[in-house]
Amino acid sequence: MSQPAFLATLLASLKSKVHVKDLPSDDPVRGKVIAAGDTVTSIVGFLATGFPDPVVNDLMLHTWHVIGSGKAQVAMYDVPTPHVVVVQDGGDILPTVLIPPDWITAVIRDPIMASGAMVFCGSQVVDSWNGRLKSKADSEAARMRALIYEAQYLLALRRIHPPWKPNSYQQEVLGSYPDGVTTPTATSLLYERRPHPLSPPPAALA
């Protein structure tokens, strides 16, 4: 499917989506969607408050509040891995974290990879809130920035758990940005964020 066709299909799906609260209590999809959403909430909350890296904490706290205040949304969609799309329908911007149907399985199989995916997506959610996902050029810069923050996350993992071994994808991320946010090629892509919108804080901060 071409990108415009994909975006049109996605937009139609999002506009006509059934909210999980509207599903019958005995609908098997309801439990699956709720569990997936709870897992996203738990991962983002931990990365915002419990992960031992202040750069990651700050990014994911912004992510928490942008999603929690309704400025971005999370949806289950037929995609292979989590990622963010920003669809414009008239004047409405819909930054959406797409979660694959097998998300719970993916988290159980490799929680480090899944948490890294949330950092990657969180960076782009925050970019959208800061008006930095409006063009193709923005999208490429946002992708590189997301990789920078994912590298920062992976570096923290390596620091706190030296036996951990990155997979081939993670090695590539670390190879591109070996010092995370302080990598010389990264600094020009970073910016001072505007204040995040307010929403109820993660439990650890309440």
Side-chain angles (χ1 to χ4, degrees):
M1 182 183 298
S2 66
Q3 186 180 48
F6 165 77
L7 294 178
T9 301
L10 172 63
L11 179 59
S13 175
L14 293 175
K15 291 178 70 175
S16 63
K17 69 182 185 297
V18 176
H19 195 282
V20 64
K21 293 186 296 185
D22 298 326
L23 293 172
S25 59
D26 59 348
D27 190 323
V29 175
R30 178 186 175 92
K32 183 176 183 178
V33 173
I34 290 175
D38 287 348
T39 303
V40 171
T41 299
S42 296
I43 292 174
V44 173
F46 168 71
L47 292 169
T49 62
F51 190 72
D53 187 275
V55 172
V56 174
N57 295 155
D58 185 63
L59 172 72
M60 299 311 288
L61 186 60
H62 275 72
T63 302
W64 176 279
H65 284 294
V66 173
I67 294 175
S69 63
K71 306 301 182 182
Q73 59 186 344
V74 179
M76 185 172 287
Y77 200 73
D78 188 17
V79 291
T81 58
H83 64 278
V84 174
V85 294
V86 179
V87 180
Q88 185 163 6
D89 179 32
D92 297 328
I93 300 292
L94 297 171
T96 303
V97 182
L98 300 180
I99 300 299
D102 65 345
W103 172 240
I104 298 295
T105 301
V107 173
I108 294 171
R109 182 174 60 246
D110 193 340
I112 289 176
M113 190 73 174
S115 296
M118 287 298 97
V119 173
F120 187 93
C121 289
S123 175
Q124 294 177 81
V125 164
V126 173
D127 278 349
S128 178
W129 167 246
N130 282 271
R132 290 176 179 261
L133 269 180
K134 295 182 176 179
S135 68
K136 288 185 178 180
D138 284 348
S139 295
E140 180 56 23
R143 186 188 70 82
M144 291 188 288
R145 205 161 24 244
L147 290 171
I148 291 166
Y149 285 112
E150 189 170 1
Q152 182 75 18
Y153 157 79
L154 295 173
L155 286 168
L157 280 176
R158 177 179 281 170
R159 183 176 67 248
I160 64 177
H161 188 57
W164 171 72
K165 301 296 182 185
N167 60 29
S168 58
Y169 166 78
Q170 292 161 338
Q171 288 174 0
E172 184 177 345
V173 173
L174 289 168
S176 297
Y177 301 103
D179 297 314
V181 296
T182 61
T183 304
T185 55
T187 54
S188 64
L189 289 163
L190 306 180
Y191 60 91
E192 184 175 351
R193 305 180 190 110
R194 66 173 175 147
H196 57 66
L198 295 178
S199 68
L205 296 181

